Amino acid sequence: MTADRVVVTGGAGFIGSHYVHALVQLNEARVINLDALTGTGSLERLTDIDQNPAHHFVLGSIGDRSLVEYLLGRYEPCAVVNFAALTDGPAGSPDQVFRTNVLGTYELLEAAWKYWNSLSGRKREEFRFLQISSDKVYGSLDGESRFTEESPYRPNSLDAASKASSDHLVRGFCQTNGLPVLTLRCSNVYGPWQFPEKLIPKTIGHALQGERIPVFGRGENVRDWLYVDDCCRAIDQVLEYGRSGEVYNAGGGNERRNIDVVTDSCAILDEIRRDAAIGPHAGLIEFVEDPPGHDFAYRMDCGKIQRETGWGPEVPFTSGIRKTLHWYLENQNWCGRILEACHPVEAKGLKRESEPRD
């Protein structure tokens, strides 16, 4: 994206931190990175750009409207990219999830709308608010071959319901207030630095320790896996070429059953780090009860984003999974630290910004 300054919220999270790195390392933009570090955010994801003048980290919440207004007025970005969200897992209670994902998004939108109204000319025309959403807002496939951007919302979990609610708020600010918005709904994103409780890193961590690898149900649930670098490219393409007010699906074209993802991961681990005491890692798989609200299958039609922006996934699952596994093999210490610190993360020595820093 050809941009001067971008405000990224949730930029210490998994996908957000990869996107921040992409912008900073390509010298495409000055990044103002706002993250409350209350969920699975980790400053370690940003260590290598901590001193880069193109990256400015701010400890704070999207629900703090006065702080967001200050940052927008101070740095005058051409875009706000909202990754900030909690899930109803180990990092957040349902109450926290809705306060962040729904009320927080509302406060962020109010601040963005006020800022946009203060702009004029080309700056006003080019400004965009991009909401990063998920295929889970569609619920589970029910008689459809694939989800399109017109598929109805049928969220089946509190997490998905909160994301659907924030999507509706984004649309409402566009339709009612004219705010130029875009929404990107991604399939299952994977890659380095993902929270260790997610399927692939959890499989790796348990396998290395010789612990049982839990798989929900019989592992028949289907997901479409999108490598994180491809996700970041989709964000760029939608910001550059997407039409205001539109929604875009982005999937990796790598549809796999969960059990296949786990057994593939185990096979690669057998190949690169076999442990005679453990034996074949797939022998550690243990089927556990399927939790309520666990959707059976997600499949998305990504024709719209390909037609309108030229985006398509480039990383095959076979190479993406190997890159991911090698990274986790080398970074198990980080996994232990973030698991220990996520209830919640305390950012010692960081204070809310009150004075501008360049």
Side-chain angles (χ1 to χ4, degrees):
M1 182 185 67
T2 54
D4 243 354
R5 300 184 180 192
V6 179
V7 168
V8 175
T9 67
F14 166 47
I15 308 175
S17 63
H18 277 272
Y19 184 62
V20 167
H21 275 88
L23 288 179
V24 170
Q25 291 171 355
L26 291 174
N27 297 314
E28 289 193 356
R30 173 81 181 277
V31 181
I32 299 86
N33 183 355
L34 176 66
D35 199 304
L37 300 178
T38 52
T40 60
S42 170
L43 289 177
E44 288 190 61
R45 293 185 175 108
L46 306 168
T47 301
D48 58 335
I49 56 171
D50 183 52
Q51 301 302 315
N52 192 312
H55 175 242
H56 175 36
F57 180 81
V58 180
L59 177 66
S61 167
I62 59 173
D64 186 344
R65 194 192 303 184
S66 62
L67 173 60
V68 176
E69 288 179 352
Y70 163 74
L71 293 174
L72 295 176
R74 170 67 181 87
Y75 294 103
E76 298 184 350
C78 66
V80 173
V81 182
N82 183 30
F83 294 94
L86 292 180
T87 60
D88 52 348
S93 67
D95 180 71
Q96 292 172 316
V97 167
F98 274 84
R99 287 183 183 278
T100 298
N101 299 359
V102 183
L103 298 179
T105 300
Y106 170 75
E107 295 292 345
L108 181 64
L109 285 162
E110 282 281 9
W113 181 48
K114 179 179 179 181
Y115 166 69
W116 176 67
N117 277 321
S118 73
L119 301 176
S120 60
R122 186 172 180 179
K123 285 186 176 181
R124 182 180 173 89
E125 292 175 4
E126 294 183 348
F127 177 80
R128 293 291 185 269
F129 182 104
L130 175 56
Q131 173 76 359
I132 306 301
S133 186
S134 165
D135 55 3
K136 68 178 67 175
V137 301
Y138 296 123
S140 189
L141 280 170
D142 183 14
E144 302 160 281
S145 59
R146 297 181 184 280
F147 296 126
T148 72
E149 289 83 356
E150 303 302 320
S151 295
Y153 284 76
R154 291 192 296 257
N156 291 316
S157 68
L158 294 178
D159 173 27
S162 71
K163 291 297 291 181
S165 299
S166 60
D167 282 8
H168 286 312
L169 284 172
V170 171
R171 175 178 170 82
F173 265 80
C174 178
Q175 297 297 318
T176 303
N177 299 342
L179 183 68
V181 304
L182 299 155
T183 300
L184 181 66
R185 295 185 188 137
C186 302
S187 63
N188 266 36
V189 182
Y190 72 102
W193 293 107
Q194 189 171 26
F195 188 63
E197 285 298 307
K198 297 299 184 179
L199 181 63
I200 294 174
K202 188 169 189 174
T203 295
I204 300 167
H206 280 234
L208 291 176
Q209 297 300 318
E211 300 174 353
R212 308 305 293 179
I213 302 171
V215 176
F216 289 138
R218 302 301 298 177
E220 297 292 327
N221 303 70
V222 175
R223 299 292 184 264
D224 179 7
W225 296 87
L226 175 66
Y227 192 65
V228 65
D229 290 351
D230 279 338
C231 180
C232 292
R233 287 194 310 101
I235 295 167
D236 263 353
Q237 292 296 97
V238 167
L239 273 177
E240 185 76 19
Y241 302 109
R243 291 180 292 128
S244 177
E246 293 296 317
V247 175
Y248 296 91
N249 289 341
N254 299 304
E255 295 169 7
R256 284 179 171 55
R257 299 180 306 164
N258 286 349
I259 187 61
D260 295 329
V261 172
V262 173
T263 54
D264 286 351
S265 299
C266 289
I268 298 172
L269 284 174
D270 290 343
E271 175 190 326
I272 60 180
R273 188 171 292 188
R274 189 169 182 88
D275 189 327
I278 296 174
H281 289 100
L284 298 169
I285 294 172
E286 177 181 53
F287 295 111
V288 298
E289 184 179 356
D290 213 5
H294 189 214
D295 296 323
F296 181 73
Y298 301 145
R299 293 186 181 93
M300 292 203 296
D301 184 329
C302 302
K304 181 178 178 180
I305 191 174
Q306 292 170 350
R307 289 190 305 271
E308 297 191 11
T309 76
W311 176 86
E314 296 180 352
V315 181
F317 186 76
T318 50
S319 59
I321 189 68
R322 283 186 175 273
K323 291 179 184 179
T324 303
L325 263 66
H326 277 288
W327 188 89
Y328 278 100
L329 286 172
E330 297 170 1
N331 291 276
Q332 282 296 297
N333 289 338
W334 173 78
C335 294
R337 289 194 296 274
I338 192 172
L339 282 171
E340 183 179 353
C342 74
H343 298 287
V345 173
E346 292 183 4
K348 297 179 181 179
L350 289 171
K351 299 179 181 179
R352 172 190 156 146
E353 169 155 325
S354 57
E355 296 295 335
R357 286 195 293 131
D358 287 316

